Amino acid sequence: MMRGLFIALSESRRLREIGERSTIGQRISSRFVAGTQVEDALRATAAVNQAGASVSIDNLGENVTNAEEARSSAGLYHQLLDAIAARRLNANISLKLTHMGLDVDENLARELVTGLVTKAASMVPRNFVRVDMEGSAYTQRTLDFVDELHRMPGNQDCVGAVIQAYMRRAESDIRSLLAGGIRIRLCKGAYKEPPDIAFQKKSEVDANYVKLMKILMKSGIYHGLATHDEDIINQAKIFATREGIPRDSFEFQMLYGIRRDLQHSLVRQGWRMRVYIPFGTEWYPYLMRRLAERPANVLFIARNLFRQ
């Protein structure tokens, strides 16, 4: 019920307008979103790099309604890649296909994303584009896109997918991606999905996450484990030690502004850490989805307003 509520809130334009203008809304967004401009994201990236972690930058947005918006979004990512190279930042980019115009024109989205992946692959050192996962209506199309991009000459290891552990199809998708040598970011899931295609209980999602995590860690391919769950993180550390999995063969991933204490602790312990840094004006839907992932995060975020 609470999950559905936050998903509904994320889609409310009226509440978004109120939230983005309110003092508390601006305070929350400043903690969990780097800002509204490219320079804000780059400044935050430099600070995170200085603290010993790498970064994935995401220009918040999805479901654009025309080609002009899609091209503008792609243009920002080109600007980011140029700045990452010029400033020698340890960062890559993360994008959604609907932000690149998938709902407007699939060929346009293919053109724009191909251009970004090709650019990332041509950089020195080579960079990387993470194609984020959206709701189940886009799952297969997104995976097909990533597979197609990865097969293009020169693109290997420069594009990757995201798998949501709450999806019942997740293990099958992971095995297909691994067969193609594609890098994966494993997260729990952020959209409202029916019981026939997604686990509904936290215990089920957690159990599936750990199962999939172990498959990824033993695959020999570099993957990202996106979670703030300390129990799961500890299980990953124990598993890596027991199985002799090198610490540089995978990375933990966390969101900007959440559990910075844990991020710093993992870096000090010698584990690889990547921080997901969102920027842009569309922070309200992003925040609501973080709450939808687990309604208990309401209290978690409230605590993090005052926690380092």
Side-chain angles (χ1 to χ4, degrees), residues 6 31-32 43 49 80 101 184 212 214 237 249 259:
F6 284 118
R31 176 62 190 260
F32 302 106
R43 186 163 46 248
N49 283 174
L80 280 170
I184 296 168
L212 300 176
K214 292 178 178 179
K237 291 159 65 176
S249 66
R259 290 309 307 271

Side-chain angles (χ1 to χ4, degrees), residues 4-273:
L5 172 62
F6 284 118
I7 292 294
L9 289 175
S10 75
E11 297 170 349
S12 171
R13 289 187 175 275
R14 177 58 179 160
L15 289 178
R16 174 182 169 182
E17 291 173 359
I18 294 173
E20 291 178 350
R21 287 199 303 263
S22 69
T23 301
I24 186 64
Q26 292 172 6
R27 182 178 182 185
I28 292 173
S29 67
S30 67
R31 176 62 190 260
F32 302 106
V33 178
T36 60
Q37 305 299 316
V38 167
E39 190 58 38
D40 296 326
L42 295 171
R43 186 163 46 248
T45 296
V48 170
N49 283 174
Q50 186 67 30
S54 56
V55 167
S56 188
I57 306 176
D58 178 29
N59 176 27
L60 293 173
E62 56 194 64
N63 299 105
V64 298
T65 58
N66 58 68
E68 182 179 355
E69 290 179 334
R71 292 190 183 281
S72 176
S73 299
L76 283 179
Y77 279 112
H78 279 284
Q79 186 178 345
L80 280 170
L81 287 173
D82 288 337
I84 287 169
R87 304 185 191 191
R88 299 182 180 180
L89 297 173
N90 184 358
N92 59 38
I93 60 173
S94 176
L95 57 82
K96 287 183 171 64
L97 291 181
T98 62
H99 204 190
M100 298 294 107
L102 184 62
D103 290 336
V104 178
D105 181 344
E106 186 169 319
N107 288 329
L108 171 64
R110 180 175 289 104
E111 170 197 330
L112 296 178
V113 180
T114 298
L116 287 166
V117 175
T118 300
K119 180 169 188 167
S122 69
M123 294 170 65
V124 180
R126 284 155 64 88
N127 210 300
F128 180 82
V129 177
R130 180 75 68 187
V131 179
D132 208 350
M133 187 57 71
E134 303 181 62
S136 60
Y138 298 100
T139 300
Q140 193 58 53
R141 294 170 75 188
T142 301
L143 295 176
D144 290 343
F145 249 82
V146 172
D147 181 65
E148 177 184 335
L149 288 164
H150 191 264
R151 290 175 183 272
M152 292 180 180
N155 285 355
Q156 288 70 28
D157 298 323
C158 289
V159 61
V162 176
I163 293 296
Q164 300 167 323
Y166 74 159
M167 296 294 287
R168 296 183 184 275
R169 61 178 289 174
E171 182 175 354
S172 174
D173 289 337
I174 277 180
R175 295 195 183 280
S176 294
L177 291 168
L178 291 181
I182 296 173
R183 290 166 56 179
I184 296 168
R185 175 180 189 260
L186 180 65
C187 65
K188 290 188 178 182
Y191 295 84
K192 182 176 175 58
E193 304 290 359
D196 60 318
I197 65 172
F199 297 110
Q200 304 296 305
K201 296 180 180 179
K202 180 182 183 301
S203 59
E204 294 177 320
V205 177
D206 288 353
N208 202 42
Y209 188 103
V210 171
K211 176 184 178 182
L212 300 176
M213 172 186 80
K214 292 178 178 179
I215 293 173
L216 295 181
M217 292 175 71
K218 294 194 71 173
S219 69
I221 301 171
Y222 192 84
H223 300 297
L225 307 179
T227 181
H228 303 92
D229 189 318
E230 286 192 71
D231 179 62
I232 289 178
I233 290 170
N234 287 332
Q235 289 189 61
K237 291 159 65 176
I238 292 170
F239 184 72
T241 301
R242 186 177 71 232
E243 298 294 324
I245 298 170
R247 294 190 179 195
D248 62 358
S249 66
F250 70 96
E251 64 187 26
F252 291 109
Q253 298 183 353
M254 294 188 188
L255 300 175
Y256 180 71
I258 296 182
R259 290 309 307 271
R260 292 187 295 204
D261 55 338
L262 183 54
Q263 293 174 21
H264 296 161
S265 176
L266 288 167
V267 170
R268 287 195 300 270
Q269 293 169 22
W271 300 97
R272 288 194 171 188
M273 166 61 58

Side-chain angles (χ1 to χ4, degrees), residues 291-303:
L291 299 180
E293 287 177 334
R294 184 166 178 256
N297 282 342
V298 174
L299 179 59
F300 179 65
I301 286 180
R303 287 200 305 265

